[in-house]
Amino acid sequence: MAVAIPAGTGDPGLFTPGSVTWQMHGDPMMWVAGVRALYLQALHPRAVRGVTQNSDFRRDAWGRLRRTANFVGTTTYGTTEAAERAGARVRGIHARLTATDPDTGERYGLDEPALLLWVHCAEIDSYLHVLRRSGFPLTDAQADRYVAEHRAGARLVGLDPETVPASRAELAAYFEKVRPELAAGPEAREVDDFLRRPPIHPLLIPAREVLWRWVARLAYASLPAYAHELYGRPVPAPAAVTRSLRATGAVLRAIPARVRWQLPPKHILRAMARLGPDARPAPEKLRP
């Protein structure tokens, strides 16, 4: 079912309130999905070197996570102009950065289409997988629509939309093709270690032990079996992971949306102020 865009109001943005993306990205399980994406992205040696060789992610990891979340929020709920500006910033950064293969000495740019495509597909797969598995209601057709919608987001970071998967089947075929290139090298181990024990102010260590570890464990557990094998840890029982995802989703979704959306930078509240209250993202708007 399409969602009407309020008449006589502001720019609906890149995706618009009628998109699957608009409804999905307001879900609190996106945080777990984002961490899963980091675990998955780290398994591509060329891609993860771009992170470890160009930033001290251990010192500014929280800032990096916030910037990524802000990019997703801006491109989803911001104006078209704001989304285009955000994409231009990302393209500009990638165009200036390079990484070096320690085995061959090859120096390569981080704006290589193959690397951008891996990062994109790992994110979209993670968002879709975690939300659906945790109970967010999507039909198969809506899930395919979500993948297709993100060709627009892929364009923002410099990809040709025609080269980007537009359905779950195409996404699965992409992962099957790229699978031989994946490995848990030293950089992936570094990311894994960080995600399990991120540096934090001593006063916040108890919160990290309780809250962050739960998020990180759940995100890691939801990875595909081949990712567990590459990281060298046992594959968890799928049914147990699904139960944990559904329980966590139920708890987080019980928090009133208006309370959750008060967290900075308040993209959803700003979108509703621009477009009207009918633009509120909600899973029930996706019912056939």
Side-chain angles (χ1 to χ4, degrees):
M1 182 179 75
V3 182
I5 299 172
T9 53
D11 172 17
L14 188 68
F15 290 101
T16 82
S19 66
V20 177
T21 297
W22 192 279
Q23 317 315 323
M24 275 183 58
H25 285 189
D27 191 84
M29 288 297 286
M30 283 288 289
W31 288 101
V32 175
V35 176
R36 180 192 190 266
L38 295 177
Y39 271 117
L40 191 55
Q41 288 165 352
L43 290 174
H44 194 299
R46 288 172 69 87
V48 73
R49 285 185 198 119
V51 175
T52 60
Q53 293 183 15
N54 285 282
S55 66
D56 186 354
F57 74 94
R58 280 188 167 276
R59 285 192 174 188
D60 189 36
W62 301 113
R64 185 180 181 86
L65 289 172
R66 284 196 302 271
R67 288 190 293 273
T68 300
N70 187 52
F71 178 79
V72 173
T74 298
T75 55
T76 303
Y77 299 111
T79 63
T80 303
E81 180 184 1
E84 294 289 351
R85 282 200 310 268
R89 282 195 298 272
V90 169
R91 293 194 304 274
I93 292 169
H94 288 163
R96 295 192 298 270
L97 299 179
T98 61
T100 302
D101 186 322
D103 297 323
T104 66
E106 176 198 4
R107 195 156 189 83
Y108 55 91
L110 300 196
D111 57 355
E112 282 188 355
L115 302 186
L116 298 176
L117 184 59
W118 167 255
V119 170
H120 170 83
C121 290
E123 287 180 353
I124 298 310
D125 179 74
S126 292
Y127 299 159
L128 188 60
H129 179 89
V130 168
L131 265 68
R132 290 194 90 185
R133 199 170 173 187
S134 66
F136 190 93
L138 278 183
T139 65
D140 288 345
Q142 289 165 344
D144 283 336
R145 259 181 64 198
Y146 176 74
V147 177
E149 286 171 3
H150 280 273
R151 281 184 155 186
R155 176 188 62 79
L156 286 181
V157 299
L159 284 164
D160 175 358
E162 293 302 314
T163 67
V164 177
S167 67
R168 289 171 301 128
E170 291 181 12
L171 193 60
Y174 166 78
F175 281 110
E176 187 67 25
K177 178 182 177 182
V178 80
R179 169 71 180 83
E181 301 174 31
L182 306 182
E187 296 89 353
R189 302 290 179 187
E190 189 177 355
V191 171
D192 178 32
D193 182 63
F194 164 77
L195 289 174
R196 289 199 283 170
R197 288 174 292 274
I200 201 168
H201 190 282
L203 293 177
L204 296 177
I205 287 177
R208 181 188 68 181
E209 296 304 300
V210 175
L211 298 176
W212 177 258
R213 284 209 173 183
W214 176 256
V215 170
R217 284 177 185 150
L218 192 56
Y220 177 84
S222 67
L223 287 168
Y226 68 78
H228 294 286
E229 292 165 2
L230 289 174
Y231 276 116
R233 297 203 285 274
V235 180
V241 176
T242 300
R243 285 195 298 271
S244 293
L245 284 166
R246 285 186 168 270
T248 302
V251 169
L252 292 180
R253 291 168 188 138
I255 302 170
R258 280 280 186 171
V259 173
R260 291 190 272 109
W261 296 341
Q262 289 295 334
L263 293 173
K266 302 184 180 181
H267 290 295
I268 293 175
L269 293 181
R270 288 208 300 271
M272 290 169 61
R274 185 175 82 246
L275 298 171
D278 288 345
R280 177 182 67 88
E284 59 267 19
K285 292 181 179 181
L286 292 171
R287 289 173 183 159

